[in-house]
Amino acid sequence: MSTDAPFLLACQRQPTPFTPIWIMRQAGRYLPEYRAVRERFTFLELCKTPEAATEVTVQPIDIVGTDAAILFADILLILESLELGLEFSPGDGPSLKRPIRSPEDVSSMPRPDVRDSLSYVFETIRQVRAALAGRVPLIGFAGAPFTLASYAIEGGGSRNYLATKRFLLEHPEAWNDLMGRLVDATVDYLGGQVDAGAQALQIFDSWVGHLGPDDYRTSVLPHMQNLFSRLPKSVPVIHFGTGTSGLLELMAAGGGDVIGLDWRIPLSEGWRRIGHDRAVQGNLDPAILFAPFPVIRQKVRALLAESDGRPGHIANLGHGVMPNTPVDGVRCLVDSVHEFSANT
Ligand code: CP3
């Protein structure tokens, strides 16, 4: 496939004919076409059925016109391989039947061959590449070790991440062991995704913004450096988090060709702190998609002004699109990014 796709060029801070855009959770419940496929499967079945996962991966490219596809899967699938007992219950989100509660739970964890247990993901990637036929690049992804560890320890989502913070403060050795195991599994998993055809990777550290800079530096940064140093050099890697305005320099030190920003910081300020030798992705508030079109268009103009014409901005929301978002609002966002950024 063409490496001159605007999304891939922007990841490398090369000039593009317009600012490329994709949207986190672009394959999801706001689309009636997704809900129709989802009716036939549970969420986990959908992830494990390559034909259906391919169909929902491609839907947003056809329906809203984004400039990259993101593999349909979930960051928590790798925890199922680690035999933590992953479940998705309707309405409540994900939960783990066998969460990690003690250092012994870490030392007794299996070391599975994720290239084997997650081979269905690689099959989806091969099918998506064939279905896209070079129209747009495909992004593969995984959870970052902190965010994965937080689900493994809390047993699900959390409001304050107290169990995770207590674990890393009380049991630093077991914490480092757990993070090391998650990095090892993630390196194999993402290597397999690139071998199968993923053309870029995103690391989701969705909840790391709950940590202060000292704990990030001690308990997360070395593991991020380990992870990034071992990823394939052949594809760009996006390093994403939310609530990270206090951590941006440290995240950049962790690694990534592109750093994700959320809406809590102006894009220009975040980019300056990260350094202009990296690309940036973001950073509109997902809530603006519920606003009237003129408001969406005004927010897009303001966002594009923040990048100041510098190559290396990938437009996106600062976090995932919400389930009840009007599809027309998403289309308005994509179209106005293309329209207002086009070189004429
Ligand atoms: O379009 C895409 O972005 C690709 C697919 C994708 C999903 N999850 C599908 C999904 C991706 C990239 C993810 C990543 C993911 N999963 C993250 C990181 C991104 C973020 O939002 O911070 C996290 C934290 C998860 C864990 C997860 N998966 C939660 C907390 C939930 C439940 C909350 C919810 O939105 O329902 C899921 C389920 C999930 N993952 C859905 C989808 C489309 C909804 C499942 C359904 O159809 O019922």
Side-chain angles (χ1 to χ4, degrees):
M1 126 125 219
S2 49
T3 44
D4 58 356
F7 165 77
L8 292 174
L9 289 173
C11 288
Q12 302 161 77
R13 292 181 295 114
Q14 302 292 319
T16 51
F18 55 86
T19 301
I21 176 167
W22 70 280
I23 298 168
M24 286 182 276
R25 293 283 179 99
Q26 64 186 18
R29 282 166 298 183
Y30 73 103
L31 286 177
E33 293 84 351
Y34 170 83
R35 297 197 299 272
V37 176
R38 178 72 168 74
E39 267 178 21
R40 296 164 24 218
F41 305 94
T42 67
F43 175 65
L44 276 177
E45 283 168 354
L46 180 51
C47 292
K48 294 177 185 183
T49 308
E51 293 73 20
T54 296
E55 185 180 346
V56 298
T57 300
V58 177
Q59 280 175 351
I61 311 307
D62 295 329
I63 300 165
V64 297
T66 43
D67 300 304
I70 181 156
L71 165 72
F72 190 83
D74 198 89
I75 64 164
L76 302 179
L77 297 175
I78 202 165
L79 298 182
E80 188 177 49
S81 298
L82 297 171
E83 296 174 20
L84 298 178
L86 176 63
E87 286 180 350
F88 284 89
S89 29
D92 304 335
S95 62
L96 284 314
K97 272 187 297 187
R98 291 180 290 282
I100 288 171
R101 289 285 137 87
S102 68
E104 295 69 44
D105 290 340
V106 178
S107 54
S108 62
M109 274 170 81
R111 286 189 181 273
D113 178 357
V114 293
R115 286 201 181 228
D116 184 46
S117 53
L118 292 164
S119 59
Y120 58 89
V121 172
F122 308 143
E123 180 54 26
T124 301
I125 290 174
R126 286 188 284 270
Q127 294 193 18
V128 171
R129 283 296 303 273
L132 288 172
R135 276 196 293 161
V136 294
L138 173 63
I139 306 168
F141 70 90
F146 174 85
T147 290
L148 293 176
S150 80
Y151 280 100
I153 292 169
E154 306 284 342
S158 173
R159 215 156 49 88
N160 52 24
Y161 294 87
L162 182 57
T164 309
K165 292 182 182 187
R166 281 190 62 175
F167 198 99
L168 74 83
L169 295 169
E170 287 174 18
H171 309 295
E173 274 185 31
W175 169 264
N176 285 326
D177 185 12
L178 173 60
M179 293 287 276
R181 286 166 181 263
L182 292 169
V183 168
D184 290 346
T186 302
V187 167
D188 286 349
Y189 181 39
L190 291 175
Q193 291 190 26
V194 171
D195 289 347
Q199 293 152 292
L201 296 172
Q202 177 154 318
I203 309 296
F204 284 94
D205 214 350
S206 302
W207 312 131
V208 78
H210 286 267
L211 287 182
D214 279 344
D215 288 326
Y216 187 97
R217 191 180 291 105
T218 307
S219 307
V220 177
L221 180 58
H223 301 288
M224 296 308 282
Q225 290 172 331
N226 178 23
L227 172 64
F228 279 102
S229 71
R230 291 163 61 194
L231 292 179
K233 303 284 177 279
S234 53
V235 300
V237 187
I238 306 164
H239 184 177
F240 165 80
T242 68
T244 52
S245 302
L247 301 175
L248 291 176
E249 294 84 353
L250 289 166
M251 283 179 68
D257 304 288
V258 184
I259 308 289
L261 294 168
D262 78 9
W263 60 93
R264 294 169 182 91
I265 188 166
L267 186 105
S268 56
E269 186 187 331
W271 205 347
R272 185 175 44 72
R273 282 179 43 202
I274 289 159
H276 293 135
D277 58 340
R278 311 289 182 100
V280 290
Q281 176 175 281
N283 66 338
L284 292 170
D285 187 334
I288 68 149
L289 297 177
F290 292 82
F293 293 172
V295 176
I296 297 177
R297 289 167 69 81
Q298 183 266 321
K299 294 283 187 187
V300 167
R301 274 196 195 281
L303 172 68
L304 294 171
E306 286 283 316
S307 70
D308 205 16
R310 189 179 287 112
H313 175 216
I314 297 149
N316 203 319
L317 302 175
H319 205 172
V321 60
M322 289 188 266
N324 299 317
T325 302
V327 179
D328 283 346
V330 179
R331 258 197 219 105
C332 173
L333 166 66
V334 172
D335 291 347
S336 28
V337 166
H338 289 158
E339 179 188 333
F340 298 152
S341 66
N343 302 331
T344 44

